[in-house]
Amino acid sequence: MLDVARKKGIYRQFFNVALTAEPVDLPADTYDAVVLVGVILYGHLPCDAFLEMTRLVKSGGYIVNCMRADYLQDIPEYAERWETLMTRMIQENTWKVVKYEKYPNHFLGRDGLLMVFQVNK
């Protein structure tokens, strides 16, 4: 994917890092947005990675996630931890919810979930 991105000639920097709860070697408050599509799968992205995303995104920036809605119940990591983490981040004013809605036919007839959060610092 990085090779494809390089060929487009529109990006300035390229990184191959594992996004987890641990800080990555990138500066804080750097990006206007983080966009995730097809990232929430079994064993791929821990909930705590959203904490690291908020570190990387500038205040006022966005974290946007599109995923299969049923994964919030079917993937143990998200079924057990997502609501608590999201609520805590709202209460601590780490982010606010801009949009959180289900939509039809995300993938193979399954509903999708669009999440848009604005980062506060």
Side-chain angles (χ1 to χ4, degrees):
M1 294 302 292
L2 287 177
D3 290 338
V4 171
R6 281 186 187 94
K7 289 177 186 174
K8 290 182 181 279
I10 58 174
Y11 301 104
R12 289 179 271 163
Q13 296 178 314
F14 304 88
F15 307 101
N16 183 5
V17 297
L19 196 55
T20 67
E22 299 300 317
V24 294
D25 191 22
L26 296 171
D29 305 321
T30 300
Y31 298 97
D32 295 320
V34 171
V35 178
L36 304 113
V37 178
V39 177
I40 307 295
L41 300 166
Y42 290 90
H44 278 211
L45 188 73
C47 286
D48 287 345
F50 283 88
L51 297 169
E52 178 61 2
M53 288 179 224
T54 61
R55 185 186 73 81
L56 297 171
V57 173
K58 297 173 190 173
S59 185
Y62 296 90
I63 297 173
V64 180
N65 178 38
C66 293
M67 62 181 284
R68 278 182 40 182
D70 58 338
Y71 281 173
L72 285 184
Q73 290 80 40
D74 295 348
I75 297 176
E77 168 74 6
Y78 284 83
E80 296 167 7
R81 301 189 63 231
W82 175 249
E83 285 293 326
T84 301
L85 177 66
M86 184 181 66
T87 300
R88 187 182 97 213
M89 291 173 74
I90 292 166
Q91 291 171 343
E92 292 175 353
N93 202 33
T94 304
W95 67 17
K96 69 177 180 180
V97 178
V98 175
K99 186 172 267 198
Y100 200 91
E101 67 181 35
K102 261 188 189 181
Y103 59 90
N105 300 316
H106 171 76
F107 181 73
L108 297 176
R110 305 279 180 130
D111 287 345
L113 183 60
L114 170 62
M115 304 173 185
V116 180
F117 303 101
Q118 188 173 31
V119 175
N120 300 312
K121 295 190 181 178

